[in-house]
Every structure is written in structure tokens, then in C-alpha cells.
Amino acid sequence: MPQKVPTDHSADGSTVDRVTANDPPDGGYGWVCLAACFSINCFTWGSVSAYGVYLSHYLSENLFPDATPIDFALIGGFNFSMAMLVAPFVTILARRYGIRAPMIIGVALFSAAHLSASCSTRIWHLYLSQGILLGFGLGFTYIPNIAILSQWFQKRRGLANGISAAGSGIGGLVFSFATEAAITNLSLAWSFRLTAITSFVILIPSALLLRSRNEIVRPFQRGFDARLLRRYDVRMLLAWSFIIMFGYITLLFSLPDFARSIGLSTSQAATISALLNLGIATGRPLVGNISDRYGCIETAGVLTFACGILCFVLWLPGTSYVTIILFSLLNGAIFGIFWVVSKLSDGGLTQALIWASWQTIGPLCVEVAGLVELPSLLSLSWLTITLPTSFSEIIALKLRRTGSSREYLYPQIFAGLAYICASACIYELRRIKRAQAKV
């Protein structure tokens, strides 16, 4: 008579199988987790990616008389920076109470942010709702699920993570069109309400369906360690993270309003935003596979530089709809390189141990500091990008030449230079790692 397989209950209430500790099942319930992670990416980062559509409307219509373009830029930046600020706290919370509790809190905050934004009549209402509260909800919802797929997949890990990461691009594609349609045909308030309702309906079941294997994997957990800042390679990695965000946020939020500034319609501007996200959806799995083959530092360096070149070659001279469509698709595939490059493919539980990492920065942190120091270096990375994610679009809008025939000339140059300067940091990091390997 076969023996019953021993099981344990994880902190989030899910049942896990002890015999699979060193052998992720590579399927089974992992496919359910994959569908849940895809949905979470789609309805969190996907909806946030549509902020460029909101920004275009805010800048072209006098919806909040007491507001300036800087206010709207800062609100969009808060979506990212607030999520970064709460990330270390959410990480510890998820380890102590399981993944479901913080995720359900996050979904509640995320939906409440959109509902309260729909009632906003003053700019400070929008700061608290679409800015700060939305960022908190994003962080609480997304952070706990980051390493779930790596705990369920080994041989198919790259495929699973690629499909999940593409969710943000698909979500951005859908939300760009849907947000524009809702604002045009209904109202700004109802666009927020519909996002709140659909997000809640999808994200709650997704959070409940997720199961972690943390009780089996037991990922390393160390606190914040500022001593890492003494290391030159760490400083280069953080410099890359800091600088690249100026280009990323400028592109993500400015492109729809840039389209409007060259004479395109609001629907065409929304299409540009959607195609940027389509590029994200198709490019992320491909970039992940490339970095598996050639290395994440090398891939990050090449693609960061390529983003800068595309800004100067296509975006800067681009004045036609076709040219901007081409730029959106090409740059969309690679411009979010901080979030995308590489799935470590060294087997075992390495990727599962990167339970707090994001698509690129996690593997890069492992290459620089190792698994033991990973949580500390990730916390430093999150804090490092808080300022650029908050203020990048403010700088871009300050550089804008309102009334000029080339209104976004200086923001375009700013974004391109940010990527090129960031690539210099990553190439210096590559030189350091090669020198260390020879010792």
C-alpha cells in the first residue's frame, strides 16, 4: 500500500508537498499560478502604464484649474515611487503572514484609489488617490507574487516568467484603448470607476488562487545593509538603476502627449501608448531568452544603449504617425530593460531564492552581490529609483517648449542621453566583473 505523501501548510494557508523541496513540479498547479500572475501583471502594471493617456487629457483640458503640468507629472511618478518605498515592508510582511494577506490589502487599496480618484475635484485629491494610494496598492498587490512562478517551474521557468511578464504589456495595450474610450464616451470619473471594478473582480480571485512554496524553499532573508555601498560594483549597478529611470519614465508618460503635440488625434495618441505596451508584451519574453544566452549584464548594456540610439534616430526626427508607431513598437520591446532582462538559468533553487527580485534588477543583483546579499541590495535598488521615478516626468515637462513646433525636443534629448549614460555605467560594471573573474 503506497505511503501518503507528507504535506505542510504554508503561512498563507496553502498546502505544499515536502517531497518536492528540491524539485519544482514544472507544471500542475503551477499553471494556475501562472494564469494568476499574468492577470496580476495585466491589471496592476498594465493599468498604471495607461497613465500617459490620462496625462495627455490632463495637459490638454482644464480639468483641475488649480493644477499645473508639474502636479500631473508628480502624480504619475508616485505610482512607481510609492510602490518602491513600501516594497521592503511588504516583503517582510509576506514572509511573516503569507502572500495572500498583503495582496488582498493591496487590491483593496488599488481599487479604492481609483474610486476616490473618480470623485476628485481638487488637485490634492488626485495626489492622494491616483498618486500615493494607487502606488501603495500597486506595491502591496504585486510584490508578494514575484517569486511564485520560480518556485513552481524549473525547466519551463523561462517560458513561465516570460508569459507572466508579458501580462503588463497586454494590460497596458488593453487599458490604453479602454481608458481613452471611457474618457471620450463616458467621462474621466467613469474611466476610474470601471478600472476599479474590473481590477477588483480580477485581482481578488488571482490573489486567492496563488500558492507559494516558501515553507519548502525557505528563501534567504537579510535586512537592509548600507555597507554594500562601499563596493564600487554595487555603486555602478545603483547608478545604472538611477539614471535609466529618467529615460524610462519620460518615455512611458510623455509619448501620448508628444503624439498630440505633433498634430495627432487623441485616439491616435492612445494607439501610440497601446503599441508601446504591445512592444513590451512581445519583447519581454524575447529579451529574457537573449539574456539567458549571452548574459544579463551584457544584454542590459547593449539594450540600454540601443534605447538611447532609438530615441535619437527615430523619436527625435519623428513627425509622422507611421514613424512614431515604429518607434513605439521597437522601443517598447526593450525600453523597460530594468524590469525585463534575464532569468537566471543555473538550475536548482537559485531563481526561487530571488523571491523579492524583479525581472532584471534581481539577476543583476545576484551577479554583483550573490544570493545572501540579494534582499539588501534589492532594498537599496528600490530606494535608489524612488527619486527618478517621482521626478523624471517633472523634468521632462519643465524641458517642454510649449507653443513651439517641436514641443518635446528637449525631453527627447533628455531621455536618449539618460539611456546612453546609463549604458556607460553597466559597461563599467561589466569591466569590473571581468577583472574580478581574472583574479
Side-chain angles (χ1 to χ4, degrees):
M1 182 175 180
Q3 292 183 331
K4 184 179 179 180
V5 177
T7 59
D8 289 311
H9 292 278
S10 65
D12 58 25
S14 58
T15 301
V16 292
D17 191 347
R18 285 204 304 265
V19 299
T20 60
N22 294 308
D23 187 16
D26 243 339
Y29 196 81
W31 294 115
V32 177
C33 292
L34 173 58
C37 288
F38 178 91
S39 300
I40 291 168
N41 278 324
C42 185
F43 283 85
T44 54
W45 291 113
S47 64
V48 168
S49 296
Y51 183 74
V53 177
Y54 286 110
L55 181 62
S56 182
H57 278 272
Y58 292 152
L59 294 176
S60 60
E61 302 175 19
N62 191 26
L63 299 174
F64 296 91
D66 57 335
T68 67
I70 303 305
D71 292 312
F72 299 128
L74 192 56
I75 288 167
F78 279 165
N79 292 171
F80 289 85
S81 60
M82 294 300 107
M84 300 302 102
L85 280 177
V86 301
F89 170 73
V90 174
T91 296
I92 295 172
L93 197 65
R95 289 287 291 131
R96 180 169 298 180
Y97 300 106
I99 62 172
R100 288 176 185 159
M103 290 185 71
I104 290 173
I105 293 172
V107 174
L109 293 175
F110 195 76
S111 299
H114 285 94
L115 287 175
S116 55
S118 71
C119 302
S120 298
T121 56
R122 302 288 299 275
I123 189 60
W124 68 268
H125 300 164
L126 214 59
Y127 266 108
L128 293 177
S129 56
Q130 195 179 12
I132 296 173
L133 190 61
L134 184 59
F136 285 164
L138 179 64
F140 271 82
T141 304
Y142 179 73
I143 297 297
N145 89 93
I146 292 171
I148 298 299
L149 294 181
S150 295
Q151 297 175 353
W152 286 95
F153 291 92
Q154 184 170 333
K155 293 180 181 178
R156 296 170 175 169
R157 185 174 294 156
L159 173 65
N161 279 287
I163 293 172
S164 175
S168 62
I170 297 297
L173 175 69
V174 172
F175 273 101
S176 293
F177 284 126
T179 299
E180 176 61 35
I183 293 174
T184 302
N185 298 309
L186 297 173
S187 65
L188 176 66
W190 269 106
S191 71
F192 283 124
R193 290 168 191 153
L194 290 174
T195 300
I197 294 169
T198 55
S199 297
F200 187 86
V201 168
I202 298 298
L203 290 175
I204 285 292
S206 298
L208 294 176
L209 285 171
L210 277 181
R211 293 182 184 176
S212 77
R213 302 175 74 239
N214 283 341
E215 292 295 323
I216 290 174
V217 176
R218 298 187 184 279
F220 295 121
Q221 181 67 29
R222 290 189 59 181
F224 187 90
D225 188 0
R227 291 176 298 178
L228 286 171
L229 293 173
R230 300 173 186 173
R231 293 175 48 176
Y232 183 54
D233 55 349
V234 168
R235 294 198 298 271
M236 282 297 100
L237 177 61
L238 296 180
W240 173 77
S241 304
F242 183 85
I243 298 171
I244 200 173
M245 279 296 121
F246 287 107
Y248 174 75
I249 297 296
T250 299
L251 266 172
L252 184 65
F253 289 163
S254 295
L255 205 54
D257 192 59
F258 163 78
R260 179 202 56 78
S261 75
I262 61 173
L264 302 183
S265 66
T266 55
S267 62
Q268 288 175 321
T271 300
I272 293 298
S273 177
L275 292 177
L276 185 72
N277 285 283
L278 177 62
I280 293 173
T282 57
R284 288 191 170 184
L286 177 61
V287 171
N289 289 331
I290 291 173
S291 65
D292 278 342
R293 176 171 296 184
Y294 298 106
C296 62
I297 293 179
E298 289 76 8
T299 304
V302 171
L303 295 186
T304 301
F305 185 75
C307 285
I309 295 301
L310 284 174
C311 286
F312 286 108
V313 173
L314 284 179
W315 192 23
L316 191 63
T319 55
S320 69
Y321 189 34
V322 174
T323 303
I324 304 307
I325 285 177
L326 178 61
F327 173 76
S328 298
L329 289 171
L330 291 178
N331 225 50
I334 60 175
F335 87 118
I337 194 68
F338 179 88
W339 317 103
V340 187
V341 172
S342 181
K343 314 288 182 283
L344 293 181
S345 54
D346 56 352
L349 292 176
T350 299
Q351 185 69 16
L353 291 170
I354 310 176
W355 78 291
S357 69
W358 288 9
Q359 301 286 339
T360 297
I361 192 63
L364 284 174
C365 286
V366 172
E367 289 207 18
V368 171
L371 286 171
V372 174
E373 297 289 356
L374 176 61
S376 295
L377 187 49
L378 281 170
S379 294
L380 285 172
S381 301
W382 289 327
L383 292 178
T384 297
I385 67 173
T386 298
L387 286 178
T389 52
S390 295
F391 298 106
S392 295
E393 188 62 12
I394 291 178
I395 296 172
L397 292 183
K398 275 292 187 181
L399 292 173
R400 210 175 40 140
R401 303 185 301 170
T402 306
S404 169
S405 59
R406 301 196 63 182
E407 188 174 332
Y408 274 87
L409 174 63
Y410 294 148
Q412 290 169 316
I413 296 173
F414 172 66
L417 288 177
Y419 276 107
I420 290 175
C421 292
S423 70
C425 296
I426 207 72
Y427 278 117
E428 174 64 6
L429 175 61
R430 177 174 175 267
R431 184 194 67 80
I432 297 168
K433 302 309 292 183
R434 284 194 169 189
Q436 291 175 349
K438 293 178 181 178
V439 176

